[in-house]
């Protein structure tokens, strides 16, 4: 899947792609045709880098409602010939989720489009799940022949039917249909047995009950070059096995594996020793971080993040200090990330410097940035506020922006009357909840109006409802 192209943050399209609160506000003030075009671009070309941790569907549905926008763009996207060629459900998943929310708001055109797509579209299962939450029983029953027709009456078709029933997020339609269609009833009864049979028949080599056997097993994943993460997964499982089988007399073998073993065994042994807070760990990490093999370096830096306790703090401070470790090195960068996670107030300056350096070198992206943002907030590092504001405004990830907002709520004395206002319109429910708990309710008429709308919106999350109503009730007192 290609990484989405994100427009500049100052543009209407860029704001909507990011799911920022200002995007919804700017869409209402912009030319309506321009706003609808930007909205359709977002819904038909999912701008999220990770749809599993970022929300957009309710946000876009609300913009559709505010603009009273037609659904022509979504309909063309769903009916495009690519729908029969591109089997990736993420091509249409966002659009279908938006239609689901619109149907929940009473848009009948959205409901009809979901029914049409369920009957003939490629990603019909997603559309059916959306309808299961919102459509009437009679309409769901009418869709049964079209859905059932997708599965031939042969062994393969019956197996696919059982798989579809198991995979459904919302079982309601299948339960309704089972009362009228014997094939669906029989498939629903057989489906759990298929799952049990797969569990009984599950193959795979398991490690023996000794440290040596576990380390050999950890290395077996190296043969699978088609899956780069196979070694990491196998070594993590091996480390858990070592916790059960390793004895004090096995320490020399584990130290040898952590120092010079193959990648899988080295990862497993090093992770086990870190979890046991072995005194040799810092030296092993330093040696691995200086290795010529980048796989070994990555293993060491990944394991460093698991260190805890006074010894970990002492070494992390040394590695992060330019005078004794080298903050510009990979080891120094990982040490700053560890300080962001477990450091004390005195480490705030190092974490802020690391945050600034990360943005300078990597921009507003990268797996480690979230940890630095969280650390700046946890340590109440006021010096980080300008950088946190930059991350808040520029990040394409709404999940990272939410972290930046949370850090700003702990570090920026102007958060409650500034960013918190915009956050009330944010696409992430956790960010809206944060804003509801912190925003100043006086001086800006939009705030109270927005709080009341959120309180009355049946599609809003329960946590946001609780925060909003708590603020409104407290103010009315």
């Amino acid at each position: 899947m290609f990484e989405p192209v994100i427009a500049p943050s100052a543009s209407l399209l860029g704001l909507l792609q990011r799911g920022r609160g200002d995007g919804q506000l700017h869409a209402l003030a912009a030319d309506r045709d321009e706003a609808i075009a930007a909205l359709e671009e977002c819904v038909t070309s999912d701008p999220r880098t990770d749809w599993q941790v970022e929300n957009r569907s309710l946000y876009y549905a609300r913009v559709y409602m505010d603009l009273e926008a037609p659904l022509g763009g979504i309909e063309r996207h769903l009916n495009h010939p690519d729908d029969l060629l591109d089997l990736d459900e993420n091509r249409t998943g966002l659009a279908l989720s938006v239609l689901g929310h619109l149907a929940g708001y009473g848009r009948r055109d959205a409901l009809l489009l979901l029914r049409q797509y369920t009957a003939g579209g490629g990603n019909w299962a997603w559309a059916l799940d959306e309808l299961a939450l919102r459509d009437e029983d009679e309409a769901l029953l009418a869709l049964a022949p079209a859905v059932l027709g997708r599965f031939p009456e042969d062994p393969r078709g019956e197996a696919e039917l059982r798989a579809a029933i198991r995979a459904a997020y919302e079982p309601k339609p299948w339960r309704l249909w089972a009362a009228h269609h014997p094939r669906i009833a029989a498939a629903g009864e057989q489906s759990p047995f298929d799952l049990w049979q797969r569990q009984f028949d599950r193959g795979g080599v398991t490690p023996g009950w000794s440290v040596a056997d576990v380390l050999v097993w950890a290395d077996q994943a190296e043969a699978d070059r088609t899956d780069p993460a196979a070694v990491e997964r196998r070594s993590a499982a091996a480390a858990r096995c070592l916790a059960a089988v390793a004895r004090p007399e096995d320490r020399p073998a584990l130290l040898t594996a952590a120092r010079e073993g193959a990648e899988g065994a080295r990862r497993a042994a090093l992770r086990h020793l870190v979890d046991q807070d072995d005194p040799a760990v810092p030296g092993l990490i330093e040696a691995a971080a200086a290795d010529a093999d980048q796989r070994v370096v990555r293993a060491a830096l990944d394991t460093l993040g698991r260190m805890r306790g006074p010894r970990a703090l002492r070494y992390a401070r040394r590695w992060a200090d330019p005078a004794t470790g080298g903050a510009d090195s990979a080891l120094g960068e990982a040490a700053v990330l560890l300080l962001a996670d477990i450091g004390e107030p005195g480490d705030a300056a190092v974490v802020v410097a690391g945050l600034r350096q990360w943005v300078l070198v990597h921009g507003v992206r990268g797996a480690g940035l979230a940890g630095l943002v969280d650390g700046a907030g946890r340590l109440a590092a006021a010096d980080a506020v300008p950088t946190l504001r930059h991350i808040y405004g520029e990040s394409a990830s709404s999940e990272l922006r939410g972290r930046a907002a949370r850090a700003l709520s702990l570090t920026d004395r102007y958060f409650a009357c500034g960013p918190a206002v915009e956050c009330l319109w944010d696409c992430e429910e956790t960010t809206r909840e944060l804003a509801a708990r912190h925003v100043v309710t006086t001086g800006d008429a939009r705030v109270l109006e927005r709080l009341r709308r959120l309180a009355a919106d049946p599609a809003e999350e329960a946590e946001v409802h609780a925060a909003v109503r708590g603020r409104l009730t407290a103010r009315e007192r």
Side-chain angles (χ1 to χ4, degrees), residues 50-370:
D50 187 349
W51 64 271
Q52 293 179 307
V53 298
E54 296 185 55
N55 297 301
R56 291 292 190 281
S57 55
L58 178 58
Y59 172 84
Y60 291 141
R62 284 170 169 167
V63 180
Y64 264 99
M65 292 298 293
D66 288 341
L67 293 174
E68 298 181 357
L71 302 181
I74 294 181
E75 184 173 9
R76 288 189 295 273
H77 177 64
L78 295 180
N79 293 330
H80 194 276
D82 283 350
D83 190 61
L84 301 176
L85 304 174
D86 188 349
L87 301 181
D88 186 356
E89 64 180 10
N90 295 321
R91 192 191 80 83
T92 53
L94 178 59
L96 295 171
S97 295
V98 170
L99 289 177
H101 284 299
L102 289 173
Y105 281 131
R107 289 278 300 256
R108 184 160 180 80
D109 52 349
L111 193 65
L112 294 175
L113 189 50
L114 280 172
R115 291 174 183 170
Q116 172 198 325
Y117 188 80
T118 301
N123 194 11
W124 62 272
W126 193 314
L128 180 60
D129 285 330
E130 296 294 338
L131 286 174
L133 296 171
R134 301 169 177 95
D135 211 351
E136 300 172 349
D137 290 357
E138 292 77 8
L140 292 173
L141 286 169
L143 289 170
V147 172
L148 194 56
R150 296 176 180 273
F151 305 98
E153 294 190 49
D154 56 32
R156 181 178 178 180
E158 298 301 329
E160 291 175 349
L161 177 58
R162 294 194 297 270
I165 294 174
R166 284 196 305 273
Y169 285 100
E170 296 296 334
K172 177 184 174 181
W174 299 100
R175 291 173 180 168
L176 283 173
W177 298 342
H180 298 82
H181 298 273
R183 278 187 70 197
I184 295 177
E189 292 174 359
Q190 180 62 32
S191 183
F193 293 99
D194 289 350
L195 179 60
W196 295 336
Q197 188 64 49
R198 285 203 309 276
Q199 291 173 337
F200 287 139
D201 294 342
R202 193 168 64 185
V205 180
T206 56
W209 203 247
S210 73
V211 167
D213 289 336
V214 172
L215 293 177
V216 169
W217 180 75
D219 282 332
Q220 291 174 354
E222 287 196 78
D224 185 7
R225 295 301 179 188
T226 61
D227 184 1
V231 174
E232 184 178 350
R233 289 197 303 270
R234 178 68 69 89
S235 61
R240 293 191 291 271
C241 293
L242 288 174
V245 304
R247 296 169 296 179
E249 56 266 32
D250 294 314
R251 183 172 182 266
L254 289 167
L255 289 174
T256 300
R259 189 180 299 112
E260 56 193 45
E263 183 184 1
R266 193 168 190 172
R267 278 179 172 269
L270 190 55
R271 177 166 171 167
H272 171 74
L273 292 169
V274 167
D275 291 344
Q276 300 301 313
D277 195 23
D278 191 284
V281 163
L284 292 169
I285 287 179
E286 286 183 339
D291 198 282
D293 189 339
Q294 288 303 305
R295 296 176 301 172
V296 174
V297 174
R298 286 196 300 271
L301 300 183
D302 290 345
T303 307
L304 185 151
R306 300 179 63 86
M307 294 178 67
R308 293 294 182 270
R311 184 187 295 113
L313 272 176
R314 186 169 68 252
Y315 276 93
R317 286 165 181 156
R318 181 165 72 81
W319 292 331
D321 188 342
T324 56
D328 293 334
S329 68
L331 180 60
E333 192 174 83
V336 173
L337 286 170
L338 181 59
L339 290 176
D341 191 19
I342 67 171
E344 298 172 344
D347 300 310
V350 175
V351 172
V352 172
L355 178 64
R356 291 170 178 162
Q357 181 69 13
W358 184 286
V359 173
L360 183 65
V361 174
H362 305 288
V364 187
R365 63 180 63 197
L369 182 56

